[in-house]
Each structure stands twice: as structure tokens, then as C-alpha cells.
Amino acid sequence: MKTDSKNKDLFLVYKGKSPKDFLRLVGVSIGTFQVILEKFKKEISVYKSEHWARNKGRKSSISIENQLLMCFLYLRNYDTFLNIGIHFGISESYTQKRYEFSKMILLRCLDLPDELSLKEGLETNLIAIDVTEQAIERPVEHQ
């Protein structure tokens, strides 16, 4: 399958939509998407430092923002990889390869066990992002 030589930056198109439309299309608000995107980028850098051989070879032809968007769109709609690939200007097999990698990184950065819990978290908006740490006060023994 031949694709366009220039990949489409759908993230910019989706980002330009109203917050209500973004939520309806992607399944998370633009603010939540941005926070998850930052964690996603950090987790990719951690993964690449752990697996140094992943830094070799050609760089991905699809941006990190579009990879995360593609992952959310697939989880939201369960569209075929062929159709998603056409939207992003990449082949069906490369779409599946990028989805599997993005899903693995997303599960790692959200600390979820499997894809089912990720899907349920997106549907019910129960994905919580921990941004602070707090010490737990415990009673002293034998007071």
C-alpha cells in the first residue's frame, strides 16, 4: 500500500477543535491529553534508555503526539488499522506496530495492568494522574 510522502499532522487538526469536540472525538479532554502526553514522552525516554538498541535505525515517521492520538482513537472507536493508517498517512502494518508500542508505553506511564483496564478508564474518565507525593503520618507505637 502506497501512502502519502508527507504524513498528516492530525493532532494539530484535533487540537484546533473546540474542547467539547476534542473530548467527543478523542475520549479525554485536551488538558488531560496534554498531561498524559508529557508522561508519555518521559516514559518513552525511560524506555529508550533501558533499551539502548531502540535508538538505532530510522526515526519514527509519525510524531509522538500523533502516536498517542492514534492510540486513543483506536481505543475509542476500534476502527481498522487500515482506516486509521489512511487518516495518518501511514501503512496498515506500521499503524499496528506504532499502536502496540504506544499502548505498551501508555500502560507503563498510567500504571495499568492491561488494555481492558485502559479502555475502561477512558470510558469512565477514571484515569487519575498523581502529581504530588504526601507523607503518611502514622501513630507512634506504645504511647
Side-chain angles (χ1 to χ4, degrees):
M1 177 178 163
K2 191 173 182 178
T3 59
D4 300 331
S5 61
K6 229 182 186 185
N7 291 333
K8 301 172 185 172
D9 196 359
L10 278 184
F11 176 67
L12 292 177
V13 173
Y14 277 62
K15 191 176 178 181
K17 300 213 177 274
S18 71
K20 187 181 264 188
D21 287 343
F22 188 89
L23 177 63
R24 287 180 62 202
L25 291 169
V26 180
V28 295
S29 68
I30 186 70
T32 304
F33 186 88
Q34 293 289 354
V35 171
I36 293 174
L37 180 62
E38 291 306 312
K39 290 183 81 170
F40 191 74
K41 287 179 179 179
K42 287 178 188 173
E43 194 62 42
I44 286 177
S45 63
V46 168
Y47 179 79
K48 285 189 175 185
S49 68
E50 292 171 357
H51 302 89
W52 56 270
R54 299 284 278 178
N55 290 328
K56 297 181 178 183
R58 294 181 65 184
K59 301 297 180 202
S60 178
S61 63
I62 183 170
S63 69
I64 293 175
E65 294 86 358
N66 279 331
Q67 288 180 41
L68 184 59
L69 179 64
M70 181 174 60
C71 191
F72 279 145
L73 290 177
Y74 178 78
L75 290 170
R76 179 129 174 109
N77 302 324
Y78 281 113
D79 208 353
T80 62
F81 288 122
L82 177 63
N83 198 14
I84 291 173
I86 289 171
H87 288 299
F88 284 92
I90 56 178
S91 70
E92 178 181 10
S93 61
Y94 192 66
T95 302
Q96 183 182 13
K97 181 180 177 183
R98 289 289 89 197
Y99 167 73
E100 291 297 329
F101 176 75
S102 299
K103 180 183 74 171
M104 185 242 336
I105 295 295
L106 192 58
L107 290 173
R108 281 179 61 165
C109 72
L110 296 177
D111 198 27
L112 295 172
D114 58 1
E115 185 178 351
L116 181 61
S117 59
L118 179 63
K119 174 79 172 150
E120 289 172 356
L122 287 175
E123 286 177 352
T124 59
N125 292 328
L126 291 178
I127 294 178
I129 296 162
D130 184 20
V131 294
T132 60
E133 287 187 21
Q134 208 170 17
I136 298 173
E137 294 182 20
R138 298 180 184 258
V140 179
E141 289 184 30
H142 308 294
Q143 283 187 358

